[in-house]
Amino acid sequence: AQKVTQAQTEISVVEKEDVTLDCVYETRDTTYYLFWYKQPPSGELVFLIRRNSFDEQNEISGRYSWNFQKSTSSFNFTITASQVVDSAVYFCALHSGGYNKLIFGAGTRLAVHP
Amino acid sequence: EAQVTQNPRYLITVTGKKLTVTCSQNMNHEYMSWYRQDPGLGLRQIYYSMNVEVTDKGDVPEGYKVSRKEKRNFPLILESPSPNQTSLYFCASSLQAPRGGHEKLFFGSGTQLSVL
């Protein structure tokens, strides 16, 4: 079975705090891809990152960083020095096998307060 | 500008009144898909299309129809909407099907549908 779990439904932080969004996935495939998407209040879905299962290197992009750990089947997302503009719903997603779709987690709503 | 365009952005209708949500992409993408987003459930795939005249069911196809007569358009049809189809709908496209995981999905801005 393929599944993505985002256990944190909502997170509230004050600006400049660091925050980590958790993502745990399940798949039996050895080749798979993980994604993060951001959904700001305007509603559209914005692609943030794609990582394949053979690349466990952590990635940093400005204030964003991703920690991929196959041993714990996790692909966590950290925002450093959060800003109000980071307020959004964040989705983690999985693609594996021959399926023609992404499997999304339920999403984590992040509220960053001034 | 490369984009996926959905219309309308908001739609309120009544039970049983047929409606169509349009989706168009200008990137010459082969693959298109419809998702619905519900609280606590994330996004779930309704239908997808690998290319013109090729469509297939996703995880939650009941009550929906699609067609792919042209490469750029992939309308979602609700023949007899019911209140449980009240949801936020997204159309997405990619150059090819995400079978290999390589393709990034481009999403439309969403359509908030309310069925009374």
Side-chain angles (χ1 to χ4, degrees):
Chain A
Q2 300 173 354
K3 186 179 178 182
V4 175
T5 302
Q6 294 180 257
Q8 303 151 308
T9 306
E10 293 190 29
I11 300 175
S12 181
V13 300
V14 177
E15 216 172 11
K16 297 184 183 175
E17 282 185 32
D18 297 347
V19 56
T20 296
L21 283 62
D22 297 333
C23 173
V24 174
Y25 61 91
E26 293 177 31
T27 179
R28 292 181 180 173
D29 295 301
T30 55
T31 301
Y32 51 89
Y33 293 79
L34 295 161
F35 300 76
W36 276 94
Y37 282 84
K38 174 182 180 180
Q39 185 179 42
S42 52
E44 75 274 19
L45 283 156
V46 179
F47 169 84
L48 294 178
I49 190 171
R50 174 183 59 224
R51 176 52 54 85
N52 73 57
S53 55
F54 299 107
D55 182 4
E56 286 195 74
Q57 266 194 325
N58 291 332
E59 181 154 343
I60 299 174
S61 175
R63 295 184 297 106
Y64 295 172
S65 62
W66 290 268
N67 182 4
F68 177 30
Q69 291 197 340
K70 289 175 78 170
S71 60
T72 55
S73 297
S74 64
F75 187 44
N76 297 338
F77 172 34
T78 297
I79 301 175
T80 303
S82 60
Q83 300 176 2
V84 173
V85 293
D86 296 326
S87 296
V89 180
Y90 291 87
F91 290 98
C92 180
L94 164 72
H95 178 274
S96 68
Y99 298 98
N100 291 303
K101 66 180 177 183
L102 293 184
I103 296 165
F104 285 82
T108 296
R109 182 178 299 277
L110 173 64
V112 181
H113 302 284
Chain B
E1 181 189 351
Q3 59 185 6
V4 179
T5 303
Q6 283 179 240
N7 280 296
R9 188 79 170 86
Y10 301 94
L11 180 57
I12 301 174
T13 189
V14 295
T15 300
K17 187 176 181 181
K18 180 180 179 180
L19 66 90
T20 299
V21 183
T22 63
C23 175
S24 179
Q25 50 89 8
N26 62 359
M27 296 170 279
N28 202 36
H29 284 173
E30 290 188 353
Y31 175 89
M32 297 184 77
S33 181
W34 278 101
Y35 285 83
R36 59 178 287 173
Q37 179 182 347
D38 300 290
L41 297 176
L43 281 80
R44 295 176 293 167
Q45 189 184 56
I46 303 170
Y47 269 94
Y48 66 92
S49 170
M50 302 282 281
N51 212 325
V52 177
E53 303 291 2
V54 181
T55 63
D56 209 344
K57 296 177 180 178
D59 295 320
V60 288
E62 294 77 20
Y64 304 97
K65 283 175 59 177
V66 294
S67 69
R68 187 93 182 272
K69 294 185 172 59
E70 306 164 282
K71 199 170 188 178
R72 62 184 294 129
N73 296 322
F74 189 45
L76 179 69
I77 303 157
L78 284 71
E79 294 272 2
S80 182
S82 62
N84 64 12
Q85 292 178 297
T86 292
S87 186
L88 178 59
Y89 292 85
F90 285 99
C91 180
S93 74
S94 60
L95 189 60
Q96 293 180 341
R99 185 178 292 270
H102 300 289
E103 299 296 333
K104 181 178 81 174
L105 278 178
F106 292 81
F107 284 87
S109 298
T111 296
Q112 179 63 58
L113 172 65
S114 296
V115 183
L116 306 177

